[in-house]
Amino acid sequence: MKLSAWRVALRVARRDALRAKGRSALVIAMVALPVLGVTGADVVFRSADLSPAEKAVRIMGRAAAELEMVERGSAVLQAPDPSDGLSVENPKDDVKPGAVPRHTPEQQRSLDTAPGDLAKQLLPAGAVLVPERQGPYTAASSVDGLLSTRVNEMDLNDPVWQGRLDLVKGRAPANGHEAAVTPDFLKRSGLGIGDRTAVRGLEADPFTITGVYEYPGDLGATELFAPPGTLIDRLATASGGSRGPATGTDEPVRWLVKLPAGADLDWPKVVELNRFGFDATSRAVLIDPPARSDVPFYVKTDGRSQLQTSYFDKTSVVILATVVGMALLEIVLLAGPAFAVGARRSRRQLGLLAAAGGDRANVRAVVLGGGIVLGVTGAVVGLGLGVGLVALLRTQAEEYSGRRFGHFALQPLDLLGVLLVGLVTGLLAAVVPAVQASRQDVVSALTGRDSLKPPNRKLAVLGLLMLGGGAALALFGATGGVGNRSLAVLGGSAVAELGMVALTPYLVGLFGRLGRWLSLGPRLALRDSVRHRGRTAPAVAAVMAAVAGAVAVGVYTASVEEQSRREYVAHGPSGSVLLGRGWLTGADGKLLPQMREAVERSIPGLGPRADVQNVHYKGDCSENSSCGYISVDLPKEIRCPVLDSDREFAPGEAERILSTDKRCQSANRRGSPYGALTAGDATLLHNLYGVTDPAAGQALAAGKAVVFDSRYLKDGKVAVRFSEPADLDSGGPAGRKQATHEIAVDAVLADAAVPSPGQAVISPATAAGLGFTTTSVGSVWLPGEAPSDGSQQKADGALARITDRGLLTVERGYQSRADLVTLGLTVFAGLVALGAAGIATGLAAADSQRDLTTLAAVGAEPRIRRSLSGFQCGVIAAMGAVLGVVCGIVPGVALRKVESAAGGYPGISPEELADKAIVVFPWATVAGAVVVLPVLAAALAAVLTRSRITMLRRSG
């Protein structure tokens, strides 16, 4: 077709679009919505994707490099940006027991020289090292009590930090009694600039908050910054001041490097530093990275790249691609009836075009021109709104993502591609109406009569093959390795849905056979839908697409919900109140009596209290001390061989055993927050495990252990394994390996209310007799009924004034988090389906106007005309709903198969595998789609149909 003819077609399409403003606005909105989403996502992604120069500023501020001693006496292999990959090679790791590790001269020098002095010797002359002293996690006072935070020491008056830490408001600390904090610290603590906060352990010397600084790359950080030498060393000497290792209390091992003018830290210098155990992030290297072949780390790792999972096979990418692709297909099918409405209402105009000498290509061009005009308009509107919304909501988007944009990036090629998406969406939606319009009989078009044709059986057979083949591709490709999984699931689901679209005209005829059993109104509506398949099929396809989306979402969310429900393991009996965890810091342990009193004061009617003690061997792991590990094991003959610490495995042998040995494939999930072996009395058995048999308490008092899984009991004994504390100062893995011991303890079996494999309870006296020590780690109550939310909140508030950790748990059973999301998605899909049914009603009303005129002429009451319109809409909605349920099952089940295939691991139990693969059909959603949606659509159509109609003259 000539370009001039296309210009005429586009002019006609533009005029028709302006004439039917409501229908045009609907199509533009449907096209603009996905374009808006894609545009916003693209702008956000590109803006958040930092350039090398921006990345360097985030890492090192205004410095030339960031340097860190990874491990003294080792060699480092790193990517140009160490965050992209790093490995450490230490001669100790390969040394045999009793042998002396062989260090290179560089590694020996690293052992003999302090890291700071060595760095100065290796860096260019005049280099200045600015230490980064990152302290431990601890707690600081807040308005409501204590806030968990990390502490640091740095001179924020030094401009070298600008870019890595940005001043939001206030000023930098000027002395040892002042500190700066992050915005999250300020928000969560309830404090403000000028207020004072005390670090736990240093309560007598609080800090005044003078400024707020943010990490542009981590807006959610909760940290406190003090001047160098004013906090971390003092905190290390304060008993119980920190939680976990006292990071940063030793000599600094990380620095920002300031170089003199003209000096640089190039890649050869970075490689040299690697040989001494340093990793270095250089501004010059980030901006101008070396060739991949010049990076030893890549040379070593590229040989293993073929073992990596393809990007398009990742579970998240498969799910995202399927959702986006099916959404675009749904929009195409939803917009199709709108173009069909336009084509039907322009039927006489298109007939005149054909009568004046226009061929089928000219008629198709006019309808396709509508797709081009509305598609481009919708794409431009969506593009403008997407860019504008990101610009308007930039701050909120940055705070939601947790990092600042590097710059506001608009990529022309990306935006052009987005425009093409809108254009293609409009064109695809107009293709079927265009073909139908070009095939209509000219005389019938001019007289307003339909040329009725039987359904195309070849098209029906093709649709059936597409439906079966697409479903098989989606379901088997999700796990069977058919190409990449994204293409298999998305392509299969789309082909299956398009196959159903191709089948729709034939299926509409089959639905028509139900008319003999229906009353007059539904029978007339059904016959009218069958007789006018040309307008019924796209309307049914639109409803089908909307319902398919709702069902797919319902299948996926209901299945995930059921999986979560099955995998949930209760912490204790229903209604139990648990205080503490399996491990407490020294500070929290000393405050435990106050915590117990606060809970009992806040929650009435708790009943008897059971105190929980963890059992340890040679240390309790608190206050940075070492300790052995204690476990309750199965008898050796049914124990997984991989768990035997005295056995060496060849590469890959352990994975093979886990995958093939049934002993390794057992479900051992447990909910108790305390250790495997705890000490207590009969009240603990009742409150924590729900044991009601008094014989278990008597056996416990008699010195026996109580176990809750019959597999662990053999000949009246249970195996307890414990290890010596690790000696981290010994060279190599052989020196670091923990020696283990195993003893058999007299035991009895008790029925527990919650799954408790691998757990046992002994009395404190029994623990002491076995050479173990005990430490109080919490308490458990079992009231007659679960405490109210108000009582729990009151107890949480009281505990917040004592500790910064959330240590209170009330067992309320599995709490669903998906109900609101599922309801929202289902309601949204239902509204879309109603909208599609409304479009179908408009199409039916436009085509059946003459039938309604005939009914009025023969004396039919307005009620009959309204009921006919309602039944017409209800019939279309019902057919679309039934077909949509069938189509929606395919992507929902396929996505579940993708997740179950990705969730497996060596040693997974059959029960866990079944939970991950479970598929649940949302019967409520299906019932709502098949029953409620047609009834509601019919009612709305009947109500909105006018009682009085304009009498039309019969043509021809």
Side-chain angles (χ1 to χ4, degrees), residues 70-146:
V70 179
E71 185 177 0
R72 297 178 69 176
S74 67
V76 172
L77 296 179
Q78 69 163 80
D81 180 359
S83 64
D84 293 335
L86 180 146
S87 64
V88 181
E89 298 177 350
N90 194 318
K92 290 182 178 181
D93 295 337
D94 299 321
V95 70
K96 295 181 179 180
V100 178
R102 295 183 179 180
H103 293 96
T104 64
E106 292 88 348
Q107 293 169 344
Q108 190 61 48
R109 185 177 171 188
S110 172
L111 287 171
D112 297 338
T113 311
D117 295 337
L118 181 60
K120 292 178 181 178
Q121 296 169 15
L122 297 175
L123 291 170
V128 177
L129 298 180
V130 180
E132 300 180 33
R133 297 201 69 187
Q134 193 173 50
Y137 286 101
T138 181
S141 60
S142 65
V143 170
D144 295 324
L146 293 174

Coordinates of all heavy atoms in Angstrom, one line a residue, residues 70-146:
V70 N 43.0 -7.5 54.4 CA 42.0 -8.6 54.5 C 42.5 -9.6 55.5 O 41.8 -10.0 56.4 CB 41.8 -9.2 53.1 CG1 40.8 -10.4 53.2 CG2 41.3 -8.2 52.1
E71 N 43.7 -10.1 55.3 CA 44.3 -11.1 56.2 C 45.8 -11.1 56.1 O 46.4 -11.3 55.1 CB 43.8 -12.5 55.9 CG 44.2 -13.6 56.8 CD 43.6 -15.0 56.5 OE1 42.9 -15.1 55.5 OE2 43.9 -15.9 57.3
R72 N 46.4 -10.9 57.3 CA 47.9 -10.8 57.3 C 48.5 -12.2 57.0 O 48.0 -13.2 57.4 CB 48.4 -10.4 58.6 CG 47.9 -8.9 59.0 CD 48.4 -8.5 60.4 NE 49.8 -8.3 60.4 CZ 50.5 -7.9 61.5 NH1 49.8 -7.6 62.6 NH2 51.8 -7.7 61.5
G73 N 49.5 -12.2 56.2 CA 50.2 -13.4 55.8 C 49.5 -14.2 54.6 O 49.8 -15.3 54.4
S74 N 48.6 -13.5 53.9 CA 47.8 -14.1 52.8 C 48.1 -13.3 51.5 O 48.7 -12.2 51.5 CB 46.4 -14.1 53.2 OG 45.8 -12.8 53.2
A75 N 47.6 -13.8 50.4 CA 47.5 -13.1 49.2 C 46.1 -13.0 48.7 O 45.3 -13.9 49.0 CB 48.3 -13.9 48.1
V76 N 45.8 -11.9 48.1 CA 44.4 -11.6 47.7 C 44.3 -11.6 46.2 O 45.2 -11.1 45.5 CB 44.0 -10.2 48.3 CG1 42.6 -9.8 47.7 CG2 43.9 -10.3 49.8
L77 N 43.2 -12.1 45.7 CA 42.8 -12.0 44.3 C 41.5 -11.2 44.2 O 40.6 -11.6 44.9 CB 42.6 -13.3 43.6 CG 43.9 -14.2 43.4 CD1 43.5 -15.6 42.8 CD2 45.0 -13.5 42.7
Q78 N 41.4 -10.1 43.5 CA 40.3 -9.3 43.5 C 39.9 -8.8 42.1 O 40.7 -8.8 41.2 CB 40.5 -8.0 44.4 CG 41.5 -7.1 43.8 CD 41.4 -5.7 44.5 OE1 42.0 -5.5 45.6 NE2 40.8 -4.7 43.8
A79 N 38.6 -8.5 42.0 CA 38.1 -7.8 40.8 C 38.5 -6.3 40.9 O 38.9 -5.8 42.0 CB 36.6 -7.9 40.7
P80 N 38.5 -5.6 39.8 CA 38.8 -4.1 39.9 C 38.0 -3.4 41.0 O 38.5 -2.6 41.7 CB 38.5 -3.6 38.5 CG 38.7 -4.7 37.6 CD 38.3 -6.0 38.4
D81 N 36.8 -3.8 41.2 CA 36.0 -3.4 42.3 C 35.8 -4.6 43.3 O 35.2 -5.6 42.9 CB 34.6 -2.9 41.9 CG 33.7 -2.5 43.1 OD1 34.2 -2.6 44.2 OD2 32.6 -2.0 42.8
P82 N 36.5 -4.6 44.4 CA 36.4 -5.8 45.3 C 35.0 -6.3 45.6 O 34.9 -7.5 45.9 CB 37.2 -5.4 46.5 CG 38.1 -4.3 46.1 CD 37.3 -3.6 45.0
S83 N 34.1 -5.4 45.6 CA 32.7 -5.9 45.9 C 32.1 -6.8 44.8 O 31.2 -7.5 45.0 CB 31.8 -4.7 46.0 OG 31.6 -3.9 44.8
D84 N 32.8 -6.8 43.6 CA 32.4 -7.7 42.6 C 33.0 -9.1 42.7 O 32.6 -10.0 41.9 CB 32.7 -7.1 41.2 CG 31.9 -5.9 40.9 OD1 30.8 -5.7 41.4 OD2 32.4 -5.1 40.1
G85 N 33.9 -9.3 43.6 CA 34.6 -10.6 43.7 C 35.9 -10.5 44.4 O 36.7 -9.6 44.1
L86 N 36.2 -11.4 45.3 CA 37.5 -11.4 46.0 C 37.7 -12.8 46.6 O 36.8 -13.4 47.1 CB 37.5 -10.3 47.1 CG 38.7 -10.1 48.0 CD1 38.8 -8.6 48.3 CD2 38.6 -10.9 49.3
S87 N 38.9 -13.2 46.5 CA 39.3 -14.5 47.2 C 40.6 -14.3 47.9 O 41.4 -13.5 47.6 CB 39.4 -15.6 46.2 OG 40.5 -15.4 45.2
V88 N 40.8 -15.1 49.0 CA 42.0 -15.0 49.8 C 42.7 -16.4 49.8 O 42.1 -17.4 49.9 CB 41.6 -14.7 51.3 CG1 42.9 -14.6 52.1 CG2 40.8 -13.4 51.3
E89 N 44.0 -16.3 49.6 CA 44.8 -17.5 49.6 C 45.9 -17.4 50.7 O 46.7 -16.6 50.7 CB 45.5 -17.7 48.2 CG 44.5 -17.9 47.1 CD 45.2 -18.0 45.7 OE1 46.5 -17.7 45.7 OE2 44.6 -18.3 44.7
N90 N 45.7 -18.3 51.7 CA 46.6 -18.3 52.8 C 47.3 -19.7 52.9 O 46.7 -20.7 52.8 CB 45.8 -18.1 54.1 CG 46.7 -17.8 55.3 OD1 47.8 -18.4 55.5 ND2 46.3 -16.8 56.1
P91 N 48.7 -19.7 53.0 CA 49.4 -21.0 53.0 C 48.9 -21.8 54.2 O 49.1 -23.1 54.1 CB 50.8 -20.5 53.2 CG 50.9 -19.1 52.6 CD 49.6 -18.5 52.9
K92 N 48.4 -21.3 55.2 CA 47.9 -22.1 56.4 C 46.8 -23.0 56.0 O 46.6 -24.1 56.6 CB 47.5 -21.2 57.5 CG 48.6 -20.4 58.2 CD 48.0 -19.6 59.4 CE 49.1 -18.9 60.1 NZ 48.5 -18.1 61.3
D93 N 46.0 -22.6 55.0 CA 44.8 -23.3 54.6 C 45.1 -24.7 53.9 O 44.3 -25.6 53.9 CB 43.9 -22.5 53.7 CG 43.4 -21.3 54.4 OD1 43.3 -21.3 55.6 OD2 43.0 -20.3 53.7
D94 N 46.3 -24.8 53.4 CA 46.7 -26.0 52.7 C 47.8 -26.8 53.4 O 48.2 -27.8 52.9 CB 47.2 -25.7 51.3 CG 46.2 -25.0 50.4 OD1 45.0 -25.3 50.5 OD2 46.5 -24.0 49.7
V95 N 48.2 -26.4 54.6 CA 49.3 -27.1 55.3 C 48.7 -28.3 55.9 O 47.6 -28.4 56.4 CB 49.9 -26.1 56.3 CG1 48.9 -25.9 57.5 CG2 51.2 -26.7 56.8
K96 N 49.5 -29.4 55.9 CA 49.2 -30.6 56.6 C 49.5 -30.5 58.1 O 50.3 -29.7 58.5 CB 50.0 -31.8 56.0 CG 49.6 -32.0 54.5 CD 50.4 -33.2 54.0 CE 50.0 -33.5 52.5 NZ 50.8 -34.6 52.0
P97 N 48.8 -31.3 58.9 CA 49.0 -31.2 60.4 C 50.5 -31.4 60.7 O 51.2 -32.4 60.2 CB 48.2 -32.4 60.9 CG 47.1 -32.6 59.9 CD 47.7 -32.3 58.6
G98 N 51.1 -30.6 61.5 CA 52.5 -30.7 61.9 C 53.4 -30.0 61.0 O 54.6 -29.8 61.4
A99 N 53.0 -29.6 59.8 CA 53.9 -29.0 58.8 C 53.9 -27.5 59.0 O 53.0 -26.9 59.7 CB 53.5 -29.3 57.4
V100 N 54.9 -26.8 58.5 CA 55.1 -25.4 58.7 C 54.6 -24.7 57.3 O 55.1 -25.1 56.3 CB 56.5 -25.0 59.0 CG1 56.7 -23.5 59.0 CG2 57.0 -25.6 60.3
P101 N 53.7 -23.7 57.4 CA 53.3 -23.1 56.1 C 54.4 -22.4 55.5 O 55.3 -21.8 56.1 CB 52.2 -22.2 56.6 CG 52.4 -21.9 58.0 CD 53.0 -23.2 58.6
R102 N 54.4 -22.4 54.2 CA 55.4 -21.7 53.4 C 54.9 -20.4 52.8 O 54.0 -20.4 51.9 CB 55.9 -22.6 52.2 CG 56.6 -23.8 52.7 CD 57.1 -24.6 51.5 NE 57.8 -25.8 51.9 CZ 58.3 -26.7 51.0 NH1 58.3 -26.5 49.7 NH2 59.0 -27.8 51.5
H103 N 55.3 -19.3 53.4 CA 54.9 -18.0 53.0 C 55.8 -17.4 51.9 O 57.1 -17.6 52.0 CB 54.8 -17.0 54.2 CG 53.8 -17.4 55.2 ND1 54.0 -18.1 56.3 CD2 52.4 -17.1 55.2 CE1 52.9 -18.3 57.0 NE2 52.0 -17.7 56.4
T104 N 55.3 -16.6 51.0 CA 56.1 -15.9 50.1 C 56.7 -14.7 50.8 O 56.3 -14.4 52.0 CB 55.2 -15.3 48.9 OG1 54.3 -14.4 49.5 CG2 54.5 -16.4 48.2
P105 N 57.8 -14.1 50.3 CA 58.4 -12.9 50.9 C 57.4 -11.8 51.2 O 57.5 -11.2 52.3 CB 59.5 -12.5 49.9 CG 59.8 -13.7 49.2 CD 58.5 -14.5 49.1
E106 N 56.5 -11.6 50.3 CA 55.5 -10.6 50.6 C 54.5 -10.9 51.7 O 54.2 -10.1 52.6 CB 54.6 -10.3 49.3 CG 55.3 -9.7 48.1 CD 56.0 -10.8 47.3 OE1 56.1 -12.0 47.7 OE2 56.5 -10.5 46.2
Q107 N 54.1 -12.2 51.8 CA 53.3 -12.7 52.9 C 54.0 -12.6 54.2 O 53.4 -12.3 55.2 CB 52.7 -14.1 52.6 CG 51.8 -14.1 51.4 CD 51.5 -15.6 51.0 OE1 52.2 -16.5 51.3 NE2 50.5 -15.8 50.1
Q108 N 55.3 -13.0 54.2 CA 56.1 -12.9 55.5 C 56.2 -11.5 55.9 O 56.1 -11.2 57.1 CB 57.4 -13.6 55.2 CG 58.2 -13.8 56.5 CD 57.5 -14.7 57.5 OE1 57.0 -15.8 57.1 NE2 57.4 -14.3 58.8
R109 N 56.4 -10.6 55.0 CA 56.5 -9.2 55.4 C 55.2 -8.7 55.9 O 55.2 -7.8 56.8 CB 57.0 -8.4 54.1 CG 57.2 -6.9 54.4 CD 57.7 -6.2 53.1 NE 57.8 -4.8 53.3 CZ 58.0 -4.0 52.2 NH1 58.2 -4.4 51.0 NH2 58.1 -2.7 52.4
S110 N 54.1 -9.2 55.4 CA 52.8 -8.8 55.9 C 52.6 -9.3 57.3 O 52.0 -8.6 58.2 CB 51.7 -9.4 55.0 OG 50.4 -9.2 55.6
L111 N 53.2 -10.4 57.7 CA 53.1 -10.9 59.0 C 54.0 -10.1 60.0 O 53.6 -9.9 61.2 CB 53.5 -12.4 59.1 CG 52.5 -13.4 58.5 CD1 53.1 -14.8 58.4 CD2 51.2 -13.5 59.3
D112 N 55.1 -9.7 59.5 CA 56.1 -9.1 60.4 C 55.9 -7.6 60.6 O 56.5 -7.0 61.5 CB 57.5 -9.3 59.8 CG 57.9 -10.8 59.8 OD1 57.3 -11.5 60.5 OD2 58.7 -11.2 59.0
T113 N 55.1 -6.9 59.7 CA 54.9 -5.5 59.7 C 53.5 -5.1 60.1 O 52.6 -5.7 59.5 CB 55.3 -4.9 58.4 OG1 56.6 -5.4 58.0 CG2 55.4 -3.4 58.5
A114 N 53.3 -4.1 60.9 CA 52.0 -3.6 61.2 C 51.3 -3.2 59.9 O 52.0 -2.6 59.1 CB 52.1 -2.5 62.2
P115 N 50.0 -3.4 59.8 CA 49.3 -3.1 58.5 C 49.5 -1.6 58.1 O 49.7 -1.3 57.0 CB 47.9 -3.5 58.8 CG 48.0 -4.6 59.8 CD 49.1 -4.2 60.7
G116 N 49.3 -0.7 59.1 CA 49.4 0.7 58.8 C 50.8 1.1 58.3 O 50.9 1.8 57.3
D117 N 51.8 0.6 58.9 CA 53.2 0.9 58.5 C 53.5 0.2 57.1 O 54.1 0.9 56.3 CB 54.2 0.3 59.5 CG 54.1 1.0 60.9 OD1 53.6 2.2 60.9 OD2 54.4 0.4 61.9
L118 N 53.0 -1.0 56.9 CA 53.2 -1.6 55.6 C 52.5 -0.9 54.5 O 53.1 -0.7 53.4 CB 52.7 -3.1 55.7 CG 52.9 -3.9 54.4 CD1 54.3 -4.0 54.0 CD2 52.3 -5.3 54.6
A119 N 51.3 -0.4 54.7 CA 50.6 0.4 53.7 C 51.4 1.6 53.3 O 51.5 2.0 52.1 CB 49.2 0.7 54.2
K120 N 51.9 2.3 54.3 CA 52.7 3.6 54.0 C 53.9 3.2 53.2 O 54.4 4.0 52.4 CB 53.1 4.3 55.3 CG 51.9 4.9 56.1 CD 52.3 5.5 57.4 CE 51.1 6.1 58.1 NZ 51.5 6.7 59.4
Q121 N 54.6 2.1 53.5 CA 55.8 1.7 52.8 C 55.4 1.4 51.3 O 56.3 1.6 50.4 CB 56.4 0.5 53.4 CG 56.9 0.8 54.8 CD 57.4 -0.5 55.6 OE1 57.5 -1.5 54.9 NE2 57.5 -0.4 56.9
L122 N 54.3 0.8 51.0 CA 53.9 0.4 49.7 C 53.3 1.5 48.8 O 53.4 1.4 47.6 CB 53.0 -0.8 49.8 CG 53.5 -2.1 50.4 CD1 52.4 -3.1 50.5 CD2 54.7 -2.6 49.6
L123 N 52.6 2.4 49.5 CA 51.9 3.5 48.7 C 52.9 4.5 48.3 O 54.1 4.6 48.8 CB 50.9 4.1 49.6 CG 49.7 3.2 49.9 CD1 48.8 3.9 51.0 CD2 48.8 2.9 48.6
P124 N 52.6 5.4 47.3 CA 53.5 6.4 46.8 C 53.8 7.4 47.9 O 53.1 7.6 48.9 CB 52.6 7.1 45.7 CG 51.7 6.1 45.3 CD 51.4 5.3 46.5
A125 N 55.0 8.0 47.8 CA 55.5 8.9 48.9 C 54.5 10.1 49.0 O 53.9 10.6 48.0 CB 56.8 9.4 48.5
G126 N 54.3 10.4 50.3 CA 53.3 11.5 50.5 C 51.9 11.1 50.7 O 51.0 11.9 51.0
A127 N 51.6 9.8 50.6 CA 50.3 9.3 50.9 C 49.8 9.5 52.3 O 50.7 9.3 53.2 CB 50.2 7.8 50.4
V128 N 48.6 9.8 52.5 CA 48.0 10.0 53.9 C 46.9 9.0 54.1 O 46.0 8.8 53.2 CB 47.5 11.4 54.1 CG1 46.9 11.5 55.5 CG2 48.6 12.4 53.9
L129 N 47.0 8.2 55.2 CA 46.0 7.2 55.5 C 45.0 7.8 56.5 O 45.4 8.2 57.6 CB 46.7 6.0 56.1 CG 47.6 5.2 55.2 CD1 48.2 4.0 55.9 CD2 47.0 4.8 53.9
V130 N 43.7 7.8 56.1 CA 42.7 8.2 57.0 C 42.0 7.0 57.5 O 41.3 6.3 56.8 CB 41.7 9.2 56.3 CG1 40.6 9.6 57.3 CG2 42.4 10.4 55.7
P131 N 42.1 6.6 58.8 CA 41.6 5.4 59.3 C 40.1 5.4 59.3 O 39.4 6.4 59.6 CB 42.1 5.2 60.7 CG 42.5 6.6 61.1 CD 42.9 7.4 59.9
E132 N 39.5 4.2 59.0 CA 38.0 3.9 59.2 C 37.9 3.0 60.3 O 38.3 1.9 60.3 CB 37.5 3.3 57.9 CG 37.6 4.1 56.6 CD 37.0 3.3 55.5 OE1 36.0 2.6 55.7 OE2 37.5 3.4 54.3
R133 N 37.4 3.5 61.4 CA 37.2 2.7 62.6 C 35.7 2.5 62.8 O 34.9 3.3 63.3 CB 37.8 3.4 63.8 CG 39.3 3.6 63.8 CD 39.9 3.8 65.2 NE 39.8 2.5 65.9 CZ 40.1 2.5 67.2 NH1 40.5 3.6 67.9 NH2 40.0 1.3 67.9
Q134 N 35.3 1.3 62.4 CA 33.9 0.9 62.5 C 33.7 0.0 63.7 O 34.3 -1.1 63.8 CB 33.4 0.1 61.3 CG 31.9 -0.1 61.2 CD 31.5 -0.7 59.9 OE1 32.1 -1.7 59.4 NE2 30.5 -0.1 59.2
G135 N 33.0 0.5 64.7 CA 32.9 -0.2 66.0 C 31.8 -1.3 66.0 O 31.3 -1.6 64.9
P136 N 31.5 -1.8 67.2 CA 30.5 -2.9 67.3 C 29.1 -2.4 67.2 O 28.8 -1.2 67.3 CB 30.9 -3.5 68.6 CG 31.3 -2.3 69.4 CD 32.0 -1.4 68.5
Y137 N 28.2 -3.4 67.1 CA 26.8 -3.1 67.3 C 26.5 -3.0 68.8 O 27.0 -3.9 69.6 CB 25.9 -4.2 66.7 CG 25.8 -4.2 65.2 CD1 26.6 -5.0 64.5 CD2 25.0 -3.3 64.6 CE1 26.5 -5.0 63.1 CE2 24.9 -3.2 63.2 CZ 25.7 -4.1 62.5 OH 25.6 -4.0 61.1
T138 N 25.8 -2.0 69.2 CA 25.5 -1.8 70.6 C 24.1 -1.1 70.7 O 23.3 -1.2 69.8 CB 26.6 -1.0 71.3 OG1 26.3 -0.8 72.7 CG2 26.8 0.4 70.7
A139 N 23.9 -0.4 71.7 CA 22.6 0.3 71.9 C 22.9 1.7 72.4 O 23.8 1.9 73.2 CB 21.7 -0.5 72.9
A140 N 22.0 2.6 72.0 CA 22.0 4.0 72.5 C 20.7 4.4 73.0 O 19.6 3.8 72.5 CB 22.5 4.9 71.4
S141 N 20.6 5.3 73.9 CA 19.4 5.7 74.5 C 18.5 6.4 73.5 O 19.0 7.2 72.7 CB 19.6 6.5 75.8 OG 20.3 7.7 75.4
S142 N 17.2 6.2 73.6 CA 16.2 6.9 72.8 C 15.1 7.4 73.6 O 15.1 7.2 74.8 CB 15.7 5.9 71.7 OG 14.9 4.9 72.3
V143 N 14.1 8.0 73.0 CA 13.0 8.5 73.8 C 12.2 7.4 74.5 O 11.8 7.5 75.6 CB 12.0 9.3 72.8 CG1 10.7 9.7 73.5 CG2 12.7 10.6 72.3
D144 N 12.1 6.2 73.8 CA 11.3 5.1 74.3 C 12.1 4.1 75.1 O 11.6 3.2 75.7 CB 10.5 4.4 73.2 CG 9.5 5.3 72.6 OD1 8.9 6.1 73.3 OD2 9.3 5.2 71.3
G145 N 13.4 4.3 75.1 CA 14.3 3.3 75.8 C 15.6 3.2 75.1 O 16.4 4.1 75.2
L146 N 15.9 2.0 74.5 CA 17.2 1.8 73.8 C 17.0 1.5 72.4 O 16.0 0.8 72.0 CB 17.9 0.6 74.5 CG 18.3 0.8 75.9 CD1 18.9 -0.5 76.5 CD2 19.4 1.9 76.0

